[in-house]
Amino acid sequence: MACGLGRKLLKLIFWIINFSIWAASIILIALGSWILADSDDQFDSLFSEDKVTPIAGIILGLGCFCFLVGFCGCRGAMLVDDGRGGKYLKIYFILMLIVVLGQFVCGILMIVFSDEVTESMEEGMGDTIEKDYNRTEAATETVDFMQEDNKCCGATGPEDYAGSWWEKEDATRTDQVPGSCCKTEVPMCAYDGAYEENCVDAYAQSIEDNILVVGGVCLGIIGVEIIALMISCCLIDDIEKEGVA
């Protein structure tokens, strides 16, 4: 009997948790790889410095680490009954503890550096609008998507397009802002028809609006991880009591 519960039940719960971790690790590895592959084209237009590559590297590294955690957990659960799972479960406990502590550290760092990310986005997107919008396909698609998706215009406002490459390239242009800035489709898009909110503020507001959902999901994940830690301790203790660890 492990911690007052049947070993089979604990093994089943433990297996489900770690199979989920294993599956999530594959998603993280794929996501990190995709961001690294497309960062030059899609993401660099939004930031003044290369902040995307380090983030993608962290996601990729976390995915690989979680893959190892899931493997140790699944392997340990498979070998519990014959007493050989103890070493895998002990390694699992250490690795999972690192994951939980790492998540708390990441949460703190996100709060500490949130203003820096916002400033970098304001500078990077503003520079892209001034020099590259309608000049390179990647920059144009990224800015258009940002504006249409968040219903915003410019990094700091519609006036960002004044004096930009987009405005200067066509001397006969009558629009003051591009179509992706307009609230409705009209032949000529002027400031009074554009979204008033700038994209940096809209992005920050979007995060703020979803902070409770994101926070709830993160706390739920950490809760499941703590349960996994407790189960691994119970299984290790059960093995050692039987004298087969």
Side-chain angles (χ1 to χ4, degrees):
M1 188 71 68
C3 293
L5 295 174
R7 179 184 285 185
K8 288 185 177 179
L9 177 60
L10 281 182
K11 280 178 60 180
L12 176 61
I13 297 172
F14 195 63
W15 176 268
I16 292 173
I17 290 174
N18 285 285
F19 183 80
S20 300
I21 292 173
W22 214 354
S25 71
I26 295 174
I27 295 174
L28 288 172
I29 291 171
L31 178 62
S33 300
W34 174 73
I35 294 175
L36 282 174
D38 285 2
S39 63
D40 289 341
D41 293 334
Q42 296 188 18
F43 300 104
D44 286 352
S45 301
L46 297 180
F47 298 94
S48 61
E49 300 174 8
D50 185 10
K51 296 185 180 295
V52 177
T53 300
I55 293 173
I58 291 172
I59 293 174
L60 185 59
L62 180 61
C64 294
F65 191 80
C66 287
F67 187 89
L68 178 61
V69 172
F71 170 79
C72 289
C74 290
R75 185 66 175 166
M78 290 172 61
L79 299 176
V80 163
D81 290 334
D82 61 10
R84 292 184 296 152
K87 61 182 179 181
Y88 287 103
L89 292 174
K90 289 174 182 177
I91 295 172
Y92 174 85
F93 180 87
I94 294 171
L95 295 178
M96 181 58 82
L97 186 61
I98 292 173
V99 170
V100 173
L101 295 176
Q103 288 170 336
F104 280 111
V105 172
C106 286
I108 294 171
L109 290 176
M110 286 177 65
I111 295 172
V112 171
F113 292 105
S114 60
D115 289 342
E116 184 179 334
V117 173
T118 301
E119 290 172 5
S120 178
M121 182 179 175
E122 182 177 313
E123 184 180 342
M125 186 175 179
D127 193 58
T128 296
I129 289 174
E130 180 183 357
K131 300 175 182 178
D132 296 320
Y133 184 80
N134 215 41
R135 191 175 192 173
T136 67
E137 183 178 354
T140 305
E141 289 180 353
T142 301
V143 172
D144 281 343
F145 173 78
M146 187 75 176
Q147 293 179 155
E148 291 170 354
D149 191 58
N150 291 282
K151 293 181 171 52
C152 58
C153 186
T156 59
E159 294 78 11
D160 286 351
Y161 287 94
S164 66
W165 163 265
W166 172 83
E167 184 184 62
K168 292 176 181 177
E169 67 159 341
D170 186 355
T172 63
R173 187 185 299 281
T174 54
D175 299 50
Q176 291 180 306
V177 291
S180 58
C181 270
C182 272
K183 299 174 185 176
T184 57
E185 290 187 15
V186 292
M188 186 191 75
C189 194
Y191 290 148
D192 56 1
Y195 297 116
E196 293 88 0
E197 189 172 27
N198 67 67
C199 289
V200 174
D201 288 347
Y203 172 76
Q205 186 61 48
S206 177
I207 294 177
E208 187 176 326
D209 291 342
N210 294 285
I211 193 67
L212 291 178
V213 175
V214 174
V217 171
C218 290
L219 287 175
I221 292 173
I222 291 175
V224 171
E225 291 169 346
I226 291 174
I227 291 173
L229 284 172
M230 294 170 63
I231 293 176
S232 67
C233 286
C234 289
L235 293 175
I236 291 170
D237 182 63
D238 203 37
I239 293 172
E240 292 181 344
K241 282 181 178 178
E242 292 180 357
V244 294

